[in-house]
């Protein structure tokens, strides 16, 4: 069992963020120990790490909540759909960014030629 400060250090999330995730229902309200402090079990810590991993993929908290709800309902087909749709979205975003990068590289190259090799 971990106190929130320990979870914060383990996962790398600020304490207010962990509390916010509780409010959103991304994780269950933790039990309290004899002194009245919230304590988090290993499963909750792993769950938080999973949420952080999803967040690291630029998945919105709203979509993460949908995923969590589907997972809790054992609707693994919906979990797969959410991940697949997110992957498609990321691929489109990557293609868009690649086109932007190509334009910027062209501008840099063109400017370098005009300025005789750069500044």
């Amino acid at each position: 069992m971990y106190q929130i400060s320990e979870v914060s250090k383990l996962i790398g999330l600020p304490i207010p963020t962990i509390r916010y995730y509780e409010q959103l229902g991304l994780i269950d309200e933790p039990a309290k120990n004899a002194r009245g402090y919230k304590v988090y079990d290993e499963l909750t810590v792993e769950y938080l790490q999973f949420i952080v991993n999803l967040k690291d993929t630029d998945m919105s908290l709203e979509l993460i909540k949908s995923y969590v709800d589907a997972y809790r309902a054992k609707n693994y087909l919906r979990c797969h759909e959410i991940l697949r749709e997110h992957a498609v979205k990321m691929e489109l975003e990557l293609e868009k960014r690649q086109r932007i990068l190509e334009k910027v590289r062209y501008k840099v190259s063109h400017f370098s030629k005009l300025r005789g090799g750069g500044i």
Side-chain angles (χ1 to χ4, degrees):
M1 300 299 264
Y2 303 93
Q3 290 188 6
I4 196 167
S5 60
E6 296 169 311
V7 174
S8 175
K9 289 175 187 170
L10 282 170
I11 303 296
L13 282 178
I15 291 172
T17 300
I18 296 169
R19 289 185 177 132
Y20 182 62
Y21 287 178
E22 285 175 32
Q23 290 173 348
L24 291 178
L26 294 175
I27 59 172
D28 292 331
E29 178 89 18
K32 292 187 178 181
N33 65 15
R35 297 177 64 192
Y37 294 112
K38 292 180 178 181
V39 287
Y40 300 80
D41 59 19
E42 188 68 37
L43 186 61
T44 302
V45 172
E46 289 174 13
Y47 214 74
L48 271 169
Q49 184 61 59
F50 180 73
I51 290 167
V52 167
N53 291 341
L54 289 177
K55 191 76 178 116
D56 285 347
T57 70
D58 288 334
M59 186 178 281
S60 69
L61 287 177
E62 182 180 349
L63 197 53
I64 291 172
K65 176 73 169 115
S66 295
Y67 182 94
V68 166
D69 290 345
Y71 186 82
R72 286 179 176 158
K74 298 187 184 330
N75 186 348
Y76 304 124
L77 182 60
R78 179 65 185 133
C79 291
H80 183 259
E81 276 178 13
I82 290 169
L83 292 173
R84 191 172 36 81
E85 289 168 4
H86 186 62
V88 167
K89 178 183 171 192
M90 292 294 97
E91 289 167 359
L92 292 172
E93 182 66 28
L94 186 59
E95 290 171 10
K96 177 183 172 186
R97 292 285 177 192
Q98 188 62 41
R99 287 191 303 273
I100 292 169
L101 179 58
E102 288 170 12
K103 288 179 184 178
V104 170
R105 284 183 176 156
Y106 170 79
K107 295 288 187 187
V108 168
S109 174
H110 183 69
F111 186 76
S112 292
K113 289 177 187 172
L114 288 176
R115 299 281 298 166
I119 298 176

